[in-house]
Amino acid sequence: MEQEPGAGQLAERIDHLFSVVRRPNGEQHSHEEVAKACREATGESFSATYLWQLRTGRRDNPTKRHLEALAAFFQVPPAYFFDDEQGDKIAQELELLGALRNNAVRQVALRAVALSEEGLGTVNDIIDTIQRREAQRGVSNDNTG
């Protein structure tokens, strides 16, 4: 069911796109870069400030064309903004794609493909143990590079 996204939800979804969908070098897209692409796509006014306001929840009234342009720039379907179920599913897929940009994560995933179910279970147990230890030590988790 399509409905207008709430300001908080819209801001979270836009911010999530910036956080996960990055340039090939791993850096976030700039507000100006995205706004310019949206202006070119729609022919309408779309400033970096306006985009920042949408991203932070200070504005919550984008036009349908603006949301479609944002969706096109970040290569997600427009339903990402309107449909809770689709939006959540797409957000999970974006998280996975973002994680796979990290070469070390990608190497582990590719090697794990050849493991048996038992082997995968063992790898998951090891990862759980390491995550607990790192959480106790306050080790930061940054999988963007």
Side-chain angles (χ1 to χ4, degrees):
M1 167 187 256
E2 287 195 8
Q3 57 187 5
E4 290 298 315
Q9 179 186 30
L10 177 64
E12 287 174 12
R13 292 208 173 160
I14 292 172
D15 187 59
H16 190 255
L17 289 174
F18 273 92
S19 296
V20 177
V21 181
R22 294 175 177 249
R23 294 180 182 146
N25 66 3
E27 293 179 8
Q28 282 192 16
H29 293 282
S30 71
H31 291 124
E32 184 53 49
E33 173 186 12
V34 177
K36 179 181 179 194
C38 290
R39 278 193 305 274
E40 291 172 356
T42 64
E44 298 177 5
S45 173
F46 201 115
S47 71
T49 302
Y50 173 66
L51 178 55
W52 172 81
Q53 290 171 335
L54 290 173
R55 185 178 178 186
T56 59
R58 287 164 176 79
R59 296 276 303 264
D60 63 352
N61 58 343
T63 66
K64 181 178 181 232
R65 289 186 69 193
H66 285 161
L67 290 179
E68 289 171 343
L70 280 171
F73 180 87
F74 287 108
Q75 299 179 354
V76 297
Y80 173 76
F81 297 112
F82 298 104
D83 183 309
D84 287 343
E85 186 177 325
Q86 283 293 322
D88 291 345
K89 180 179 176 189
I90 293 165
Q92 289 173 354
E93 291 172 0
L94 290 172
E95 287 291 330
L96 175 60
L97 290 173
L100 290 174
R101 275 196 312 262
N102 179 306
N103 191 48
V105 171
R106 190 171 47 253
Q107 290 302 317
V108 169
L110 289 171
R111 291 175 67 197
V113 169
L115 296 177
S116 66
E117 287 298 316
E118 182 181 352
L120 288 172
T122 302
V123 169
N124 277 321
D125 291 344
I126 292 168
I127 290 170
D128 288 343
T129 301
I130 293 169
Q131 285 177 326
R132 279 192 301 274
R133 287 180 185 166
E134 288 186 349
Q136 289 171 348
R137 292 191 339 240
V139 174
S140 171
N141 178 15
D142 181 6
N143 287 333
T144 60

